[in-house]
Amino acid sequence: MNGQLCCYDCGGTYETDDRNRCSCGEPLWVETDPTDFEWPDAEWSRGMWRYADVLPVSEPSGVPPGTTPLVRAAGLDEYVGCSLSLKHEGQNPTGSFKDRGSAVGVSVAAQAGYEWVGTVSHGNMALSTSAYAANADLECAVFVPADTPRERLELIARHDPHLFRVEGEYGKLYHETLALETDVAFVNSDTPLRVAGQKTVAYEILEQCSPTTPDAIALPVSSGGQASAVWKALRELNRAGLVDDVPKLYLVQAAACDPVATAYREERATVSPVTADDTIAVSIANSDPPSGTRALAAARDTGGEVVSVPDAEIRDAMDRLSTTVGVSVEPSSAVAIAGIRTLSQSGSIEPDDDVVAILTGSGYKERYGTEIRSLTIDLEGLERELAAIVD
Ligand SMILES: *Cc1c(COP(=O)(O)O)cnc(C)c1O
Ligand SMILES: [Zn+2]
């Protein structure tokens, strides 16, 4: 790996690359020097590797993640109460932003001579890591909760990883796998290499908006890895002189499992675990987020906020995205839209604000119990039945 590891909180630095946390307890990220960075001339088809100058590994083979569309969604402006754009991360190779981090983490492991990579996941990261491991010809160990739905397991199994369904407290798995004495290179949710890859989503958003800058970016938060990555990118672009007014980061959680929002509401310095209820936003149901405190710092530092939204509002936002702008996302992604609406209602977001929502994952991986409205008709009745509806 190229680059030092650094702690956002105490400033501690480490030369070694097999460390994920600082001695102060906070997570580390890969320090990069962005001072000479400029928007690249490189081909859009190179995906996130257009930003190779600020990544800790050279470009591997395989389908590149990134360069996903940023689209205006004027049809939802009234619903969310501002000028809305969508960063469509569901268009990544395995359907979520996790590909950006997997591509970096798996490539570093391969170039360092590891034969195995591993991850702990509710689904998207397992799918993504398995796919990138297959491309790099590495073995892959995937740990999922024992009750992970069969439809998710089947998608993951397509890439033929070694799948472990773990009984017991899922929250502990993250820490236990990173503490193992093993030859498996773990690329968990907020590890430095994953954060390094995932920061490219914010590089793209800011480049796609250039020469203007959005007022805010809203995204869902689980481990806090993605929020950390976006924050890091904004700091780097600010240092490079490409972004003067750093967008506010609005972080959104499901009300049933909202440790970061709780700490924000209670004005606490750090995030503590919460007792969670079930939510339809399964991909963000982490009650003990390893980068929760760092995510909290990201929201505060940029002048943003952390809020949470109930399942009914998540569901409504997900349906609006499908029926109003034709974009299908999973519930965990719709959380960002529901959060923007809440922040407009409270007055934090104003009607002429330009806000980008990161739609983290595709809605084409599972079913959500959508009501099917249909008519069964005879061939002879075709014209009559159609006319009855069209008129
Ligand atoms: C992983 C994931 C998130 C949460 O990201 P963190 O980095 O864990 O905070 C949000 N949405 C989707 C679809 C995800 O897969
Ligand atoms: Zn530290």
Side-chain angles (χ1 to χ4, degrees):
M1 180 189 87
N2 317 319
Q4 224 180 20
L5 295 178
C6 181
C7 173
Y8 76 98
D9 193 24
C10 75
T13 56
Y14 301 86
E15 298 299 335
T16 160
D17 59 4
D18 61 352
R19 208 188 155 107
N20 296 297
R21 299 187 90 85
C22 181
S23 55
C24 80
E26 280 300 285
L28 296 168
W29 56 27
V30 184
E31 191 62 7
T32 16
D33 179 9
T35 37
D36 295 329
F37 180 80
E38 285 174 18
W39 297 127
D41 293 328
E43 294 287 314
W44 202 243
S45 61
R46 276 179 65 190
M48 61 177 263
W49 300 108
R50 296 176 70 248
Y51 305 104
D53 286 352
V54 287
L55 292 174
V57 66
S58 54
E59 185 170 345
S61 66
V63 186
T67 51
T68 55
L70 178 74
V71 290
R72 265 285 283 135
L76 282 175
D77 283 0
E78 199 182 321
Y79 181 67
V80 295
C82 61
S83 172
L84 179 70
S85 297
L86 307 172
K87 181 64 170 164
H88 198 6
E89 288 292 279
Q91 279 201 16
N92 278 298
T94 75
S96 82
F97 75 83
K98 297 290 197 308
D99 288 341
R100 297 175 185 267
S102 303
V104 169
V106 171
S107 302
V108 169
Q111 289 176 22
Y114 279 93
E115 288 172 8
W116 279 81
V117 289
T119 199
V120 171
S121 167
H122 279 111
N124 284 330
M125 199 161 48
L127 177 62
S128 175
T129 308
S130 309
Y132 282 85
N135 175 63
D137 198 20
L138 298 184
E139 297 291 329
C140 182
V142 164
F143 296 86
V144 297
D147 61 358
T148 301
R150 190 185 158 85
E151 54 189 0
R152 285 198 169 212
L153 294 179
E154 268 192 47
L155 293 176
I156 299 164
R158 296 283 312 153
H159 300 291
D160 199 24
H162 299 261
L163 201 48
F164 298 90
R165 299 168 67 182
V166 186
E167 314 261 8
E169 204 185 312
Y170 178 75
K172 289 202 175 128
L173 244 179
Y174 166 92
H175 298 283
E176 306 230 333
T177 52
L178 292 180
L180 290 172
E181 291 273 336
T182 172
D183 290 332
V184 178
F186 275 92
V187 201
N188 291 359
S189 51
D190 70 337
T191 46
L193 295 173
R194 196 169 275 288
V195 169
Q198 286 170 186
K199 77 180 178 184
T200 57
V201 70
Y203 271 74
E204 284 175 21
I205 291 171
L206 273 292
E207 187 180 352
Q208 285 165 313
C209 289
S210 156
T212 64
T213 303
D215 297 300
I217 299 175
L219 64 148
V221 172
S222 183
S223 70
Q226 170 76 333
S228 305
V230 171
W231 185 34
K232 184 167 203 297
L234 297 180
R235 290 158 59 121
E236 290 178 0
L237 291 170
N238 182 248
R239 259 172 65 200
L242 292 172
V243 173
D244 293 332
D245 294 321
V246 172
K248 295 183 168 86
L249 287 184
Y250 289 120
L251 309 182
V252 193
Q253 301 203 283
C257 181
D258 67 345
V260 187
T262 300
Y264 181 82
R265 245 186 343 259
E266 296 177 356
E267 296 178 14
R268 292 209 306 261
T270 57
V271 174
S272 321
V274 294
T275 315
D277 284 326
D278 285 344
T279 167
I280 53 170
V282 287
S283 296
I284 58 167
N286 189 331
S287 59
D288 184 10
S291 275
T293 300
R294 188 163 61 176
L296 190 63
R300 286 184 177 143
D301 180 65
T302 57
E305 291 178 40
V306 192
V307 294
S308 58
V309 287
D311 272 20
E313 291 174 25
I314 298 170
R315 179 86 213 198
D316 190 57
M318 181 170 89
D319 293 346
R320 298 266 178 165
L321 277 166
S322 305
T323 57
T324 308
V325 291
V327 173
S328 187
V329 297
E330 66 170 279
S332 298
S333 307
V335 161
I337 302 297
I340 296 171
R341 188 170 147 87
T342 299
L343 287 156
S344 295
Q345 284 162 352
S346 72
S348 297
I349 290 179
E350 297 187 14
D352 56 2
D353 282 350
D354 283 320
V355 181
V356 175
I358 302 184
L359 299 182
T360 47
S362 164
Y364 294 118
K365 289 180 187 167
E366 54 206 350
R367 290 170 289 157
Y368 304 106
T370 306
E371 186 198 345
I372 302 170
R373 294 197 297 135
S374 69
L375 279 179
T376 306
I377 60 168
D378 289 334
L379 209 46
E380 297 77 56
L382 199 56
E383 193 169 344
R384 184 184 67 245
E385 298 290 353
L386 184 63
I389 293 196
V390 173
D391 288 345

